[in-house]
Amino acid sequence: MITARLQSESLSEPGPGRSLWQDARRRIRQNPVAIVSFSILVLVGVFALFGPIFSGWSSEDINWNVLGNVETAGRPALDSGHYFGTDQLGRDLFVRTAHGVRVSLMVGIIGALIAIVVGTLYGTIAGYVGGRVDNLMMRTVDVIMSIPYMFVLIILLVMFGQSIVLLFVGIGLVSWLDMARIVRGQTLSIKNREFVESAIVIGVPPALIILRHILPNLVGIVIVYATLLIPNMIIFESFISFLGLGIQEPNTSLGVLISEGASQMQYGVLWQLGFPLFFFIVIQFGFFFLGDGIRDALDPKDRH
Amino acid sequence: MLLQIENVTVEFSLPGSPARGRHSKNRLTALAGVSFALAERETLGIVGESGSGKTTLARAIVGMVPVQEGRIVWMGSDLSSTNQDSRRRIRKDMTMIFQNPLASLNPRMTIGQIIAEPCQIHEPGVSKTEIRRRVAETMEWVGLAPALANRYPHEFSGGQCQRIGIARALIARPRLIICDEPVAALDVSIRAQIVNLLKQLQDEFGISMIMISHDLSVIRHVSHRIMVMYLGHVMEVIPSRHLLQKSCHPYTRTLIESVPVPDPKIQKTRELPVIKSDPPLMNTPASGCRFATRCPIARDSCSDSQTALLEVESGHWLACPYCELPPEFESGN
Ligand SMILES: Nc1ncnc2c1ncn2[C@@H]1O[C@H](COP(=O)(O)OP(=O)(O)O)[C@@H](O)[C@H]1O
Ligand code: SF4
Ligand SMILES: [Mg+2]
């Protein structure tokens, strides 16, 4: 065999290449907003998981000394050990907030995971197969979307009693719909790119085309959307819990805590609203800016 | 014969041409009864302006667009009646190189993986080391350092990406490679390298090729025979070496005349009168010769009767009954 008759233009040094992922990682490291958001979210996560270790109280202990006098004795203070004060029942708010953050984050992450798995699979299949299957699948999504799910969920919760299971069923039902639409649209455009055509011409079987050529090119948008979905799911849960239909005592979530705090506002115990609300807002902004940063890093041409 | 195309017609239905009722002609005929045959080791050049159906023909052959009429026969078997399994086996023997080199490479795969893919698909038993060896060998052959196998497509220039595409097409040793405008998207300075590489490919491995281009000089350089297409119809088929002297279809002559000449003085004195207008819309129904609206020697009868592709000399097919080498062309050469 005759070799290398034609000289290559430049680029002759060997070694591993930079994948698009590595490029994206490098870019996100240079984005201060994304890095700060990420760090704050990590701190919030550490607080949620390990915060209670540093408190003498558990989330169900009632401090009988403050009961009836929460306004003064239940204030946030270092010497009483109630760093965030207590709630109206004399329970330590530091521990309860950590607990609430944990539950809310879990709800958000579970919603995002459902969206990633179900939405991506559903959208990819609809987009790749196309035709009648696509039509049927996407009309189904339209129908589910047109249901006023909040209304239905509230009716279900009232009828069957409040249960976490029902809350997760609700989240599972709605979280993947948008993802399915986004992924389908993206699949349609990837499907028509020349490298997929090239794979078909070469004889790559359809399942492998989806796995090897379509999914890896979807990962970016899926990650971005999932990141932005987490705060949405937290709002969803908080709203239901705020109405008193979601997470139940002695369990708690940010929505429950905010709801309780808001109902006590007029008694001069603003910290009961302030601390949960602070974490709620920090989480919302954290995920929003992180998702935005990831989007920029993955697709730098998109913005200037 | 390796490949026989018999009277192939491809129509696309145009979405959303409204308000004309259900009987209006919402169909676009991209290929109208195209026939040709390709022998082993032969390179057929297909030339024609953009929109003449060259890409559609390539996609019909590799099974990417459905054929409404006619047959595509590959080594004696009709492709429309082959089952999935044998179709997959045929895909090993028939591959394609695309116009846009970067877009035809998966951005998430290393070029080693990209080049190896046909081997993995068609020879699942081959060991990893053997595949790596073949990838290195093929990369070297197309002029890429094998050490670059771990890099990603976006790190390469257009010309290098096209070399990667050629390596991917070559690695499973196909019998036919269809090149759809392989250099159109490349920088002029590297076109010659890629064209020469394709020519060497055909010389060294005896692979048949269909070389599609709107650029006659590229086509002439690599092809044994040239097929001229216009709006989905074959206008003329002629052996490459006879193109300049013996081709006589007015459209072919137009294409020859419009190839730029390096010397600006000659370029200036040369007349380019023929192409006066843009190609007419394909879906406007036309009877008779499709070129009649732009043909300098058209006569009334041209737009009435259907012009058939006839063999005027051995190997020279012509779809114009009136072009006995008109004097203006004779003086031109
Ligand atoms: N998928 C398609 N749907 C509808 N029309 C198409 C499609 N593909 C090609 N065409 C039309 O068919 C004609 C021939 O196109 P093409 O084969 O790409 O020509 P060429 O490659 O010679 O430039 C064009 O008018 C084009 O608009
Ligand atoms: S058939 Fe008539 S219109 Fe067509 S190319 Fe010949 S002379 Fe021109
Ligand atoms: Mg084309």
Side-chain angles (χ1 to χ4, degrees), chain B residues 294-308:
Chain B
R294 296 161 82 195
C295 179
I297 58 164
R299 53 200 77 185
D300 289 347
S301 52
C302 290
S303 48
D304 300 336
S305 55
Q306 196 66 46
T307 46

Side-chain angles (χ1 to χ4, degrees), chain B residues 12 28 30 49-56 282:
Chain B
F12 295 111
L28 180 152
E49 285 166 290
S50 142
S52 44
K54 308 182 297 293
T55 299
T56 305
M282 258 185 168

